[in-house]
């Protein structure tokens, strides 16, 4: 089966750093994705990890440990516009024909 | 210029009706998907379609059927709509090679009354 866990909600302060954790248990693994979704909008791609380690992309970084079934998304220099839901998703099979299994998302609230 | 587009953006209909949602992508991707996002914002895969190979999530009722006239289009047809079908439906596309990140359409908010 597929199980992806992430916190339901987090609060952070503008200018600070926040780490959103994700743990997964899936029948196969071929990559972990993070998406951002603002209220009423479509999810947008943030990052992709398939090998262990840290991937950095501007203010956003994502980490993966396949042996632990664990990932995190790190957001630095938080801005008010970062208030959104952050979705962790796993691709299970070897090809692109399968969709992603999403976690329930972490609603991030940024306070001034 | 929109990469993945869907129509309509909003759809309000009565129980028992049949409706379709259209999706088009101009990214040249070879795989398209339909997702359902319920009132709790949980996003779940319904179908993926790649080179005429359809993969269906087993939990999807057979009232839902995807139809792909060509590689750039994947429409969703729903028969005998039920109250529980109310949700936001997202179309997405990806390229099979590389990371294969998915690009989502703007969503169709379906309300069944």
């Amino acid at each position: 089966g597929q199980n992806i866990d992430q916190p339901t909600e987090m609060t952070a302060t503008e200018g600070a750093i926040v780490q959103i954790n994700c743990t997964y248990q899936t029948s196969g693994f071929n990559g972990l994705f993070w998406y951002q979704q603002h209220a009423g909008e479509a999810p947008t791609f943030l990052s992709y990890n398939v090998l262990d380690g840290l991937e950095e992309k501007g203010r956003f970084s994502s980490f993966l440990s396949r042996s632990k079934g664990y990932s995190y998304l790190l957001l630095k220099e938080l801005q008010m516009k970062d208030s959104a839901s952050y979705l962790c998703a796993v691709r299970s099979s070897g090809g692109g024909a399968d969709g992603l299994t999403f976690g329930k998302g972490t609603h991030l609230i940024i306070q001034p | 210029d929109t990469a993945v587009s869907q129509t309509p953006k909003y759809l309000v209909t009565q129980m028992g009706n049949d409706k379709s949602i259209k999706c088009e992508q101009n990214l040249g991707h070879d795989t398209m998907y339909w997702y359902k996002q319920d009132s709790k914002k949980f996003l779940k895969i319904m179908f993926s379609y790649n080179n005429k190979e359809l993969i269906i999530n087993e939990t999807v009722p057979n009232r839902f059927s995807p139809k792909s006239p060509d590689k750039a289009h994947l429409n969703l047809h729903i028969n005998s709509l039920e109250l529980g079908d109310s949700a936001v439906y997202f179309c997405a596309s990806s390229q099979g090679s590389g990371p294969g990140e998915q690009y989502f359409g703007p969503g169709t908010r379906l309300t069944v009354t």
Side-chain angles (χ1 to χ4, degrees):
Chain A
Q2 318 278 60
N3 189 42
I4 300 177
D5 286 319
Q6 48 182 131
T8 304
E9 188 173 283
M10 299 182 71
T11 302
T13 305
E14 191 176 14
I17 298 173
V18 71
Q19 178 175 311
I20 302 174
N21 295 324
C22 170
T23 57
Y24 64 90
Q25 295 155 341
T26 56
S27 54
F29 181 83
N30 191 37
L32 186 141
F33 297 79
W34 284 95
Y35 281 80
Q36 180 191 61
Q37 186 176 25
H38 284 100
E41 297 183 9
T44 55
F45 170 74
L46 287 178
S47 69
Y48 167 74
N49 295 71
V50 69
L51 299 176
D52 290 352
L54 189 68
E55 294 284 340
E56 297 186 80
K57 213 180 198 183
R59 295 189 299 115
F60 293 5
S61 304
S62 57
F63 172 83
L64 175 67
S65 169
R66 288 172 296 170
S67 62
K68 295 181 180 177
Y70 167 70
S71 173
Y72 67 72
L73 179 70
L74 191 72
L75 292 77
K76 302 176 187 175
E77 301 169 17
L78 286 168
Q79 302 174 10
M80 297 302 291
K81 68 178 182 179
D82 297 329
S83 292
S85 286
Y86 291 85
L87 310 175
C88 174
V90 172
R91 184 170 64 203
S92 299
S93 79
D98 283 82
L100 299 174
T101 301
F102 280 86
K104 294 188 177 180
T106 298
H107 184 212
L108 177 63
I109 301 167
I110 308 298
Q111 296 177 334
Chain B
D1 288 325
T2 305
V4 183
S5 59
Q6 296 178 226
T7 54
K9 190 167 174 63
Y10 299 96
L11 183 55
V12 181
T13 188
Q14 292 183 329
M15 285 174 56
N17 285 348
D18 301 340
K19 291 293 178 185
S20 291
I21 306 171
K22 295 185 177 181
C23 177
E24 176 182 2
Q25 55 97 2
N26 62 8
L27 297 167
H29 287 166
D30 58 13
T31 307
M32 296 183 73
Y33 311 82
W34 277 105
Y35 288 86
K36 178 181 180 181
Q37 189 168 44
D38 60 24
S39 56
K40 296 182 179 178
K41 309 301 181 189
F42 191 24
L43 197 61
K44 292 185 73 173
I45 181 72
M46 300 177 71
F47 305 100
S48 63
Y49 197 86
N50 176 311
N51 292 327
K52 301 188 179 180
E53 178 190 10
L54 177 65
I55 300 175
I56 303 171
N57 184 316
E58 60 189 12
T59 65
V60 175
N62 58 14
R63 299 181 295 103
F64 291 78
S65 56
K67 298 189 193 306
S68 179
D70 55 58
K71 208 170 92 164
H73 297 82
L74 185 65
N75 303 325
L76 182 65
H77 190 75
I78 315 169
N79 289 328
S80 303
L81 278 156
E82 300 178 358
L83 291 177
D85 298 333
S86 295
V88 180
Y89 292 83
F90 287 101
C91 175
S93 72
S94 71
Q95 187 59 32
S97 59
E101 66 268 28
Q102 296 182 15
Y103 293 84
F104 284 78
T108 296
R109 181 173 293 277
L110 171 65
T111 303
V112 182
T113 62

